Amino acid sequence: MSRPTNFGAGPSALPESVLHQAARGLLDFNNTGIGIAEISHRSKEFTAFLADTENLIRTQLDIPQTHSVLFTQGGGSAQFSAVVLNLLARHRLLHPDRTNAERAMDYVITGSWSKKAAEEARRLGGGTVNVAVDARAYSKDGRSFDGIPTHDTYTFSPDPALIYYCENETVDGVEFSNDATSAASFPFHLLPKDTLLPLVGDHSSSFMSRPIPHLAEHAVIYAGAQKNIGPAGLTILIVRKDCLVDVDAAAKLGAVPVPLTMAYKTLADSASVYNTPAVLPIYIAGLVLKRSQELGGVKYYEEVNKRKAAKLYAVIKEGEAKGVVRAKVKEGSGSLMNVVFDVLGDGAEAKFISGAEALGMKAIKGHRYGSVGGIRVSLYNAVTEEQTDALIAYMKEFLAQ
């Protein structure tokens, strides 16, 4: 029986071979006779697997020893809070005499998720949110997230506690380009000249799909696993070691107290097993990462994902020329992972979705957030080029009709 193709934005598709491996592991993990969902997270078998999984991430992303790789829970939304609390604690230890008003938190707002992250920073307090740029101000209608702003629009603080951006906006289909010469690339050259930049990147939707530019310059990179590498319930952190600070010492100086399970130092000191981690998601992520390494790692996936996205954007252009389809993102700012567009005409969108579902193509309806709507096709690593080609063939047939 042929399985449907999951074009959903998350929880997303996983490689079928990995699902079969994971099914066996549910009954017997690494020949222990105990299933992975039952085994102790402190057993030598699981801790060895956890260390191997960390090494797979380190190797494929070329992570330097200046950074720790940590495994936690709560998804990207929990990191909206954890990033603020940990980096404000760091800033408090570095600058104990500054007032909260003097602790700037710079946010680059390019879509729904970076907007939510900035809102959480305001809610928590402890510093002042500076919007370094808001992409809506440069959109076609002044209120949509339809592109990455050009470099001349950014205003960064001279010594912020953190600089936050979301590399790929899952809802809005907007992504920073990996090409440093592109106007849609992240403006690393405009950041304060500091060897220990407090740069934070939400890479949830693109993690392990391509290399991360300027990785070593980041203070924190985080990613929810449920896009490219595993099921929901696991969050992976890459944290520079100077950000593993004593949050209790910072609290004595007036910083907002940090819950222990959200403190990066607690996670690092306990090798990510301070409390029971997301054992099953870690196991599946480890299997996915092993398969990824065998295929060629992030360089391999970058090439495949570029081809998949190029084909899809090309057929969207065809649809625009016919007046049937409308792209929602400016050319050059479109995501390789989440491609968004509208199908024009009364009832046309519903017809397009039902036709796709009849062919086993699932979860292509756009996000419910605000007025985004439309169609969203997610081309994560586990979505094959052949599955993408099948969707494009359907789209061409739809356009012809």
Side-chain angles (χ1 to χ4, degrees):
M1 180 178 170
S2 178
R3 300 180 76 236
T5 302
N6 179 9
F7 286 111
S12 55
L14 288 167
E16 191 167 346
S17 62
V18 166
L19 293 175
H20 287 296
Q21 283 180 281
R24 292 192 294 272
L26 278 170
L27 293 171
D28 183 1
F29 169 62
N30 284 10
N31 299 314
T32 60
I34 300 174
I36 182 61
E38 307 164 285
I39 201 162
S40 168
H41 61 290
R42 300 190 190 279
S43 65
K44 67 179 188 297
E45 292 87 0
F46 179 75
T47 53
F49 187 90
L50 187 63
D52 288 343
T53 302
E54 175 185 338
N55 189 56
L56 286 166
I57 296 169
R58 278 194 179 279
T59 302
Q60 292 177 61
L61 288 178
D62 195 21
I63 300 171
Q65 291 304 312
T66 52
H67 289 63
S68 296
V69 177
L70 309 173
F71 301 89
T72 187
Q73 300 168 60
S77 295
Q79 291 307 307
F80 294 167
S81 312
V83 158
V84 170
L85 296 174
N86 281 273
L87 291 191
L88 280 178
R90 173 182 180 268
H91 200 258
R92 179 76 61 165
L93 292 168
L94 291 171
H95 306 288
D97 297 328
R98 291 191 188 176
T99 65
N100 287 352
E102 294 171 319
R103 299 185 196 283
M105 297 181 285
D106 285 4
Y107 278 78
V108 174
I109 299 179
T110 52
S112 304
W113 293 116
S114 49
K115 175 176 172 285
K116 282 178 176 287
E119 289 168 353
E120 175 65 355
R122 288 193 189 93
R123 193 186 72 82
L124 289 173
T128 302
V129 171
N130 168 55
V131 176
V133 71
D134 188 327
R136 289 171 294 186
Y138 306 97
S139 66
K140 292 172 188 171
D141 59 10
R143 55 185 175 83
S144 302
F145 292 113
D146 66 3
I148 299 293
T150 55
H151 292 171
D152 59 343
T153 61
Y154 293 75
T155 304
F156 293 106
S157 303
D159 183 24
L162 64 94
I163 304 163
Y164 188 103
Y165 73 98
C166 179
E167 197 266 354
N168 179 83
E169 290 282 1
T170 324
V171 171
D172 306 280
V174 175
E175 183 177 60
F176 284 98
S177 171
N178 259 18
D179 178 1
T181 65
S182 168
S185 64
F186 188 82
F188 292 99
H189 63 289
L190 296 179
L191 299 178
K193 304 305 178 189
D194 187 335
T195 55
L196 293 176
L197 277 170
L199 182 62
V200 177
D202 174 357
H203 281 249
S204 292
S205 300
S206 60
F207 194 65
M208 304 307 298
S209 73
R210 60 182 191 167
I212 298 176
H214 298 260
L215 185 150
E217 295 175 28
H218 286 74
V220 181
I221 291 167
Y222 70 82
Q226 69 275 14
K227 310 296 184 180
N228 277 306
I229 62 170
L234 168 65
T235 308
I236 297 168
L237 305 172
I238 302 170
V239 182
R240 201 174 59 223
K241 290 179 181 177
D242 64 281
C243 299
L244 305 173
V245 301
D246 185 338
V247 295
D248 290 337
K252 289 176 183 176
L253 295 173
V256 178
V258 184
L260 275 180
T261 54
M262 297 185 86
Y264 295 152
K265 189 174 188 301
T266 302
L267 289 170
D269 289 349
S270 63
S272 298
V273 291
Y274 175 79
N275 61 331
T276 309
V279 175
L280 179 59
I282 289 171
Y283 175 59
I284 297 176
L287 297 179
V288 170
L289 290 162
K290 186 173 186 297
R291 178 179 179 272
S292 170
Q293 187 174 59
E294 291 167 354
L295 290 170
V298 291
K299 292 287 179 66
Y300 163 80
Y301 275 117
E302 181 178 36
E303 292 174 9
V304 174
N305 289 328
K306 280 182 176 178
R307 289 200 303 269
K308 292 188 302 188
K311 293 176 186 180
L312 185 49
Y313 281 114
V315 78
I316 290 171
K317 271 196 167 181
E318 286 181 37
E320 286 191 301
K322 292 175 179 285
V324 179
V325 167
R326 179 176 58 214
K328 295 172 80 74
V329 175
K330 296 173 185 174
E331 191 168 355
S333 296
S335 169
L336 300 184
M337 296 284 95
N338 312 104
V339 180
V340 295
F341 57 95
D342 290 321
V343 180
L344 306 176
D346 187 29
E349 180 183 302
K351 183 181 177 183
F352 180 82
I353 292 170
S354 64
E357 288 188 345
L359 294 172
M361 301 171 187
K362 303 287 188 179
I364 63 170
K365 190 171 177 60
H367 199 276
R368 295 173 298 171
Y369 183 89
S371 58
V372 176
I375 304 297
R376 174 174 56 175
V377 176
S378 294
L379 301 175
Y380 296 127
N381 288 355
V383 175
T384 67
E385 197 163 0
E386 291 74 22
Q387 289 170 327
T388 306
D389 288 344
L391 172 65
I392 288 163
Y394 164 66
M395 290 179 68
K396 285 179 178 289
E397 182 183 334
F398 186 88
L399 294 179
Q401 292 173 357

